[in-house]
Amino acid sequence: VTDFLVELFGPADPMEGFGDTVRVRAILDEGAARLAESDVRPDLRARMMASLAEVYRNLGLREDAENLFRQVLALQRDVHGPQAPEIAETLVLLAETLHGMRAYEEAEPLFVEALLIHRRLGTEPLGTTGTLQGMARVQRDLGRPDSAESLLNQVLSIRRDRLGQDHFQTLWAELDLAYALRGRGETDSARALYEWVIPKLRLHEDSTPRLLPSALNNLAFLHMREGRPDEAEPLYREAIEIERRGGNVPNVLLLMNNLAGVLDDQGDPDGAEEVLREGIRVAESYWPEGDAELGQRYATLAGFFMLKGAHSSAEPWLLRALDEFREAYPDGHSRVSYSQVQLADCLVAMGRQE
């Protein structure tokens, strides 16, 4: 498996074109095509395909990851039969991918099947907690906070006993519990839990680079909702810095949008505008021209200007957004149509009905 991946990525300088998802995707597509035609032993081929699927998912290419995980699952069923730990693992990966696509009802039975396999195989309790935690997230997002909380309490009971309360996997489940509590309207309990977990996560930052920014973002959200933007701002800034160091550009941009909202609420529209413009510079260094993500960045800044009544400032950004969406999507796509409506509204507001 390692030799194949080294051969696949080896010719490329890992620092060259960093962030070029088009280039990386082309390499992944080549690898997937080569695997489909290879005579590698089926169980090894399934492992290689699963590795590529995880890279697709980490790049945000979830549809490609879903397709490949489904191929892996079919191959594993042929090789191992219906009950095997490899199948349970792939079911969870596929379910997590679907969850990321907000296909919660599709993800739920996959988690259930994985749990049934673990129980039939007699997997020790700690080995099932990842599946239980994934199921809890699905229950939460399906609007079942009581079920989510019950599952998370099972996870926490096992991890606290086996790993200790300060282990990063235990803290990860605590974060999910805080999110579930927030969904039930128990904001005081959720905030207290975030404030307890975050200092502990700072000690684990190198090994859990994704958990701390998420926790900071969620606590900042609570502060914003409760009218404390001054407490939210430093949390967003800390989260942005961590994600920058990790090279997670989509998360950086999401957090920048949140920070811009905080600054605007604090009466600093100039600061908010500068953050949005910086987000555009970051996006332009990451995505190629004609990518819908660039169009979204331009549309976000245009929307900011529209809300301020600065229609003449919004117009050029709406035009740039429309150009990106037209290049990214076919004629008649809803995103193109909506962008055209936004531009028309802007022009009407400036008295240019023609």
Side-chain angles (χ1 to χ4, degrees):
V1 176
T2 302
D3 289 346
F4 173 80
L5 294 176
V6 168
E7 181 187 352
L8 183 61
F9 289 98
D13 179 347
M15 296 305 295
E16 181 186 348
F18 174 72
D20 185 348
T21 55
V22 173
R23 178 173 172 271
V24 175
R25 181 173 186 165
I27 295 173
L28 291 171
D29 290 347
E30 178 191 347
R34 286 169 57 186
L35 277 174
E37 299 171 357
S38 75
D39 57 359
V40 175
R41 211 173 69 201
D43 58 330
L44 293 180
R45 188 161 74 249
R47 288 171 56 193
M48 295 178 193
M49 292 166 65
S51 296
L52 291 182
E54 289 196 67
V55 178
Y56 274 122
R57 189 179 67 168
N58 291 338
L59 288 171
L61 303 170
R62 294 190 177 94
E63 291 82 3
D64 299 276
E66 177 197 356
N67 179 54
L68 205 49
F69 278 134
R70 290 190 186 280
Q71 294 179 48
V72 171
L73 197 56
L75 189 55
Q76 288 175 330
R77 291 189 197 280
D78 287 342
V79 172
H80 302 292
Q83 309 291 327
E86 294 87 351
I87 290 174
E89 181 181 354
T90 303
L91 284 166
V92 170
L93 291 169
L94 176 56
E96 289 174 344
T97 302
L98 291 167
H99 178 263
M101 297 164 66
R102 302 191 178 187
Y104 308 131
E105 293 182 354
E106 291 183 60
E108 183 179 18
L110 300 175
F111 279 121
V112 170
E113 185 179 352
L115 284 170
L116 288 173
I117 291 174
H118 282 307
R119 287 169 184 163
R120 288 168 185 158
L121 293 174
T123 305
E124 59 96 16
L126 185 61
T128 68
T129 54
T131 307
L132 289 168
Q133 189 172 352
M135 173 65 93
R137 292 195 202 100
V138 168
Q139 295 302 303
R140 176 196 70 200
D141 292 330
L142 285 172
R144 304 168 190 160
D146 292 342
S147 178
E149 184 176 353
S150 175
L151 289 165
L152 288 168
N153 282 328
Q154 291 181 53
V155 173
L156 285 166
S157 176
I158 296 168
R159 289 183 179 168
R160 286 168 182 157
D161 179 60
R162 302 293 181 88
L163 303 175
Q165 69 174 9
D166 290 343
H167 192 278
F168 77 89
Q169 289 189 19
T170 307
L171 298 175
W172 183 13
E174 297 278 14
L175 287 180
D176 278 354
L177 179 58
Y179 198 96
L181 291 171
R182 192 182 92 182
R184 290 178 55 178
E186 298 180 27
T187 54
D188 290 343
S189 297
R191 185 174 60 255
L193 191 49
Y194 282 128
E195 290 173 344
W196 179 79
V197 170
I198 284 172
K200 296 178 181 293
L201 284 177
R202 289 190 176 113
L203 300 176
H204 290 283
E205 183 184 333
D206 290 341
S207 57
T208 59
R210 295 182 178 180
L211 294 185
L212 181 54
S214 175
L216 293 166
N217 179 64
N218 289 339
L219 179 57
F221 173 83
L222 286 179
H223 285 315
M224 281 296 294
R225 194 165 71 175
E226 296 170 355
R228 295 187 296 274
D230 55 320
E231 295 188 44
E233 180 185 348
L235 297 174
Y236 281 133
R237 291 191 183 279
E238 181 181 356
I240 288 169
E241 179 56 30
I242 294 169
E243 294 287 26
R244 275 185 185 275
R245 291 200 300 268
N248 193 329
V249 170
N251 281 3
V252 168
L253 295 175
L254 173 64
L255 290 162
M256 281 184 159
N257 283 352
N258 293 344
L259 176 59
V262 168
L263 294 173
D264 198 37
D265 283 354
Q266 289 179 305
D268 184 10
D270 291 341
E273 179 184 338
E274 178 52 36
V275 168
L276 293 175
R277 287 183 180 275
E278 173 62 16
I280 286 174
R281 290 191 287 272
V282 170
E284 287 176 338
S285 70
Y286 187 74
W287 284 293
E289 289 185 10
D291 194 292
E293 290 292 340
L294 287 183
Q296 185 58 51
R297 296 307 119 201
Y298 300 151
T300 298
L301 181 57
F304 173 80
F305 286 132
M306 291 281 283
L307 287 172
K308 301 298 180 187
H311 300 100
S312 60
S313 296
E315 181 188 2
W317 293 105
L318 287 171
L319 287 167
R320 292 181 70 176
L322 182 57
D323 285 344
E324 298 296 332
F325 291 139
R326 279 176 167 160
E327 190 168 346
Y329 298 119
D331 291 341
H333 190 278
S334 60
R335 199 66 189 84
V336 175
S337 299
Y338 181 67
S339 187
Q340 290 171 323
V341 169
Q342 286 181 306
L343 178 59
D345 288 343
C346 179
L347 295 173
V348 168
M350 291 191 293
R352 291 164 55 186
Q353 285 84 351
E354 74 283 0

